[in-house]
Amino acid sequence: MEAPCSPPTAGKFVVVGGGIAGVTCAEQLAINFPSEDILLITASPVIKAVTNFKQVSKVLEEFDVEEQPSTMLENRFPNIKVIESGVKQLKSKEHCVLTEDGNQHIYKKLCLCAGAKPKLICEGNPYVLGIRDTDSAQEFQKQLTKAKRIMIIGNGGIALELVYEIEGCEVIWVIKDKAIGNTFFDAGAAEFLTSKLIDEKPEAKIAQKRTRYTTEGRKKETQARANAGNVGSALGPDWHEGLDLKGTKEFSHKIHIETMCEVKKIYLQEEFRISEKKSLTFPRDHHDQSVTTDKEIWPVYVELTNEKIYGCDFIVSATGVTPNTEPFLCGNNFDVGEDGGLKVDDHMHTSLPDIYAAGDICTAAWHPSPVWQQMRLWTQARQMGWYAAKCMAAASVGESIDMDFSFELFAHVTKFFNYKVVLLGKYNAQGLGSNHELLLRCTKGQEYIKAVLQNGRMMGAVLIGETDLEETFENLILNQMNLSAYGEDLLDPNIDIEDYFD
């Protein structure tokens, strides 16, 4: 019989999860309470640390994400103790967390930052890979060296990155939307970027200067554990750097995009042979709607909802994530959002006393600013982890704090296809209905600028390329100035808009 948790007298600050949200939260708590022990419980032998942090503007931030052994975190913050174990159960009434290693930890305040796991298009198929963390990226690289053709399912950031980075392998890219990168762009921006896919890529990139820690040495013992629950933190913004994504063929890009469809059925080789269906060859050019039957025999075949069937070496499932709430729900009455995340209020507090949540595991259930939305991205994981620690600290000394400024305006900077991409506010006119207008400016191969306006006020923007407009646009969205008077001139390249609005 398990010993009951002792009464919560010796409680500490406990954080679960070694990704960006959890590590940021633990660091912040360690700074606020230098004489208290902060426990960080993580199932992985490496943690994710934010490095090279730069505040680009009021709300835009850039940083690198680096995998580090957890000892580095303990060296930086002597009061952080890392416990390398998964969570078995949460007993919220007793304020107690049971870990897989048989220990129990009493908390006075707990923050759940266990992230999310990839939504796989089907479970248990050896030819379907989900890419979400560094281990799955390495597995992917192993498979790719033998591959002649792969299929990528999904239209988010990871799918975009993969498609651009893969060389020497035919890629069939299946998306359910009309245009690529639907989460991030409209069709215009997609078109601007797609032309880049067809061009040859620039020569080898400059070598990465960051140190990378791999988990090779400790792989074996953790592999067994990891495969059970498939843990691992999400990938960093340039996770594919240092991976050699090259297939077997000697050409750069061969990409065919199947839009407006999803996977209907997956056949293994033998099942496909018995079905007597026919699969298609790789379409040779954009106009060629391939009707030729494929003579090659593939390990796996995919039937799409548009009735087409393609064979390939393996399938990459990059179809988003589901919050990793599993070990925490049993026996605890959490309010859970429609997307499966733990609902948190504007102080990152869940519906249970003394339990907070941050990052991909949580669902923002407060009434958001009109130009902010939750997206499961690095930047938000860092902001939420930081803010959750501030809220836990304030609550434990009986103070109240204001909502952090980073939740005033959605802002994200990333790189796609080697272009800098800045997303601000309701950059895709999310939730604005038909009552909005778009202003566009596009210079092929150089920049793409889109401003979203409603009632003369800027609500969002997409900036691709080196536009230098992010601060100006950020200010225009934050101060909600009426821009009707400027009309189309707002994006006229001959007018220096920064001078207007300084």
Side-chain angles (χ1 to χ4, degrees), residues 425-445:
K426 301 289 180 185
Y427 61 87
N428 240 351
Q430 296 94 322
L432 299 184
S434 51
N435 170 25
H436 68 271
E437 54 172 330
L438 302 179
L439 293 180
L440 294 175
R441 172 170 122 203
C442 178
T443 315
K444 195 169 156 48

Side-chain angles (χ1 to χ4, degrees), residues 125-129 143-151 169-170 248-249 296-302 310-316:
N125 185 319
Y127 296 102
V128 177
L129 294 177
Q143 306 261 0
L144 195 57
T145 53
K146 308 187 284 282
K148 294 196 285 280
R149 182 192 300 165
I150 67 169
M151 186 178 272
C169 174
E170 295 174 347
T248 55
K249 298 255 172 79
E296 180 119 23
I297 291 174
W298 299 96
V300 64
Y301 290 84
V302 184
Y310 291 102
C312 56
D313 287 305
F314 61 93
I315 302 157
V316 179

Side-chain angles (χ1 to χ4, degrees), residues 189-200:
E191 183 55 37
F192 173 82
L193 286 171
T194 313
S195 59
K196 182 95 171 186
L197 273 183
I198 298 151
D199 301 339
E200 283 298 296

